[in-house]
Amino acid sequence: MIVDTHCHALPHWFEPVETLLHQMNANGVEKATLVQVRGQFDNRYIMECVRRFPGRFSAVVIVDTDAADAPKTLASWVSQGAEGVRLSPTTRSPGSEPLAIWRQAAELGIPVSCLGSADGFTSPLFEQVVREFPSLPIIIEHLGGIGRDEAPPYPTFRKILALAQHPNTYIKVHGLGEISHRPMPFPVPMRF
């Protein structure tokens, strides 16, 4: 079974889900995870996609973690079928419990998909979260924010890879265009 673990679908900006489904069908992809895009707290479209096409999609939602009721909002999305939440490695909740949103994800039994910078993934604050919730699956997106600019021996990337000592951490490989320079297209002669 082929599963795409990181797709975006929106009626604006990204392609609508029907275009994604066409590509999935054409390439033998049976299932996909719809990951909400950064800055979007309205998860209704991706949840609608999950309901409209049963068995094809899982939803990873985003909640406004600056809101005091973010843990409750996350629980509501999970009750509607969300199967993960997208946070940054430096996300902290307001109030007296800075790890409230992380704790809620752990209690709900859903993984956290993390989008952030290399600095965020190498910070002691992120490692604190990883240690605090050893049963919470934490997925580091986009190779931890490492692009094509870090030179050998890749000191920052090595720090991110060192998180593998924690059995609850995983890392996603992103599109090759984010880590390799795109070749210049061959000139095409014009014929009339």
Side-chain angles (χ1 to χ4, degrees):
M1 176 187 306
I2 299 173
V3 178
D4 189 330
T5 62
H6 194 109
C7 295
H8 300 294
L10 287 172
H12 53 79
W13 188 256
F14 286 94
E15 61 194 11
V17 74
E18 290 80 8
T19 304
L20 177 59
L21 274 169
H22 172 77
Q23 290 298 325
M24 289 171 63
N25 293 337
N27 292 287
V29 177
E30 191 169 328
K31 297 180 181 221
T33 302
L34 295 175
V35 179
Q36 183 59 285
V37 299
R38 183 186 333 212
Q40 297 292 315
F41 306 127
D42 184 352
N43 300 290
R44 289 178 296 177
Y45 182 77
I46 64 171
M47 296 305 297
E48 176 190 327
C49 295
V50 170
R51 285 189 289 277
R52 281 179 52 210
F53 304 99
R56 296 300 302 270
F57 297 110
S58 292
V60 172
V61 298
I62 294 180
V63 297
D64 181 0
T65 56
D66 290 334
D69 66 345
K72 183 179 175 182
T73 301
L74 178 58
S76 175
W77 285 118
V78 169
S79 74
Q80 295 175 56
E83 296 183 76
V85 64
R86 193 177 202 195
L87 303 173
S88 82
T90 57
T91 296
R92 297 297 180 269
S93 297
S96 61
E97 177 52 55
L99 299 179
I101 194 67
W102 295 89
R103 189 170 317 287
Q104 180 70 302
E107 289 172 5
L108 291 168
I110 61 169
V112 172
S113 190
C114 268
L115 171 65
S117 68
D119 289 340
F121 288 116
T122 58
S123 77
L125 290 174
F126 182 61
E127 190 159 4
Q128 173 197 0
V129 169
V130 172
R131 289 179 189 275
E132 178 82 16
F133 303 104
S135 64
L136 175 64
I138 299 174
I139 304 155
I140 299 167
E141 295 180 10
H142 299 279
L143 288 175
I146 296 297
R148 53 188 148 218
D149 299 327
E150 190 175 38
Y154 310 105
T156 304
F157 190 48
R158 289 178 185 274
K159 288 179 186 176
I160 294 168
L161 291 177
L163 292 168
Q165 68 180 306
H166 305 285
N168 61 323
T169 59
Y170 304 85
I171 195 163
K172 277 188 192 178
V173 177
H174 49 61
L176 295 179
E178 294 182 51
I179 57 175
S180 62
H181 293 283
R182 295 181 183 176
M184 294 299 295
F186 291 105
V188 178
M190 296 182 68
R191 293 190 176 120
F192 296 96

